[in-house]
Amino acid sequence: AVVSTQSTGILENWCQERALGQFKHMLAAREFSGTINLIDIGECDILSGCMLELGPVFMFNVATQQHFVKTEKVAAVEGGSEAAEIVEDSIKTVNYMIAVCRDQSMLDPKAAWTVLEIVEHVVGDYV
């Protein structure tokens, strides 16, 4: 699944303002002429949980493997159209630490959780 800045509208329903800004920052940092595809989600660990004034809050860590393909446009020979050259083609491990909170005013338990904060850390090439 490739996420682009045009598809951030759905995130507005699931994120508080701070987390939405973090998502948009992560997506803007990835804007290059290339693609990132999610390959695998694994090792989802609940780190902590507590009750705050907002409601119950859980923090968890998610490890993913993502396929990064970065391309660069290079001029074609003899006046042809621009050609793309693959500069980077790698699989990287990316960890996310996510804090979610249960919105007490929502009655639907499947839609009541909102993202408070998200942190992304690219660990390196997947071996």
Side-chain angles (χ1 to χ4, degrees), residues 15-33:
C15 298
Q16 292 194 352
E17 190 173 329
R18 177 181 170 94
L20 183 62
Q22 290 168 327
F23 266 118
K24 287 182 178 181
H25 177 73
M26 285 188 299
L27 291 173
R30 290 179 168 200
E31 280 192 0
F32 53 78
S33 55

Side-chain angles (χ1 to χ4, degrees), residues 3 20-21 24 28-29 37-38 59 62 68 75 88 94 99-100 104 126:
V3 179
L20 183 62
K24 287 182 178 181
N37 295 305
L38 180 64
M59 288 186 63
V62 178
F68 288 71
E88 178 184 358
V94 182
V100 294
Q104 302 290 329
Y126 180 72

Side-chain angles (χ1 to χ4, degrees), residues 67-126:
H67 182 214
F68 288 71
V69 179
K70 184 176 181 180
T71 57
E72 258 182 30
K73 291 182 181 177
V74 293
V77 181
E78 297 292 323
S81 63
E82 290 183 347
E85 175 185 349
I86 294 178
V87 177
E88 178 184 358
D89 185 4
S90 61
I91 296 175
K92 298 186 186 242
T93 299
V94 182
N95 289 333
Y96 295 94
M97 189 159 53
I98 304 168
V100 294
C101 178
R102 172 81 159 79
D103 184 351
Q104 302 290 329
S105 64
M106 295 283 290
L107 299 177
D108 182 5
K110 294 179 182 177
W113 292 91
T114 58
V115 178
L116 293 176
E117 191 158 340
I118 183 165
V119 177
E120 176 186 56
H121 178 67
V122 178
V123 177
D125 289 342
Y126 180 72

Side-chain angles (χ1 to χ4, degrees), residues 39-50:
I39 297 172
D40 185 37
I41 299 174
E43 298 180 30
C44 182
D45 299 317
I46 296 176
L47 302 175
S48 68
C50 62

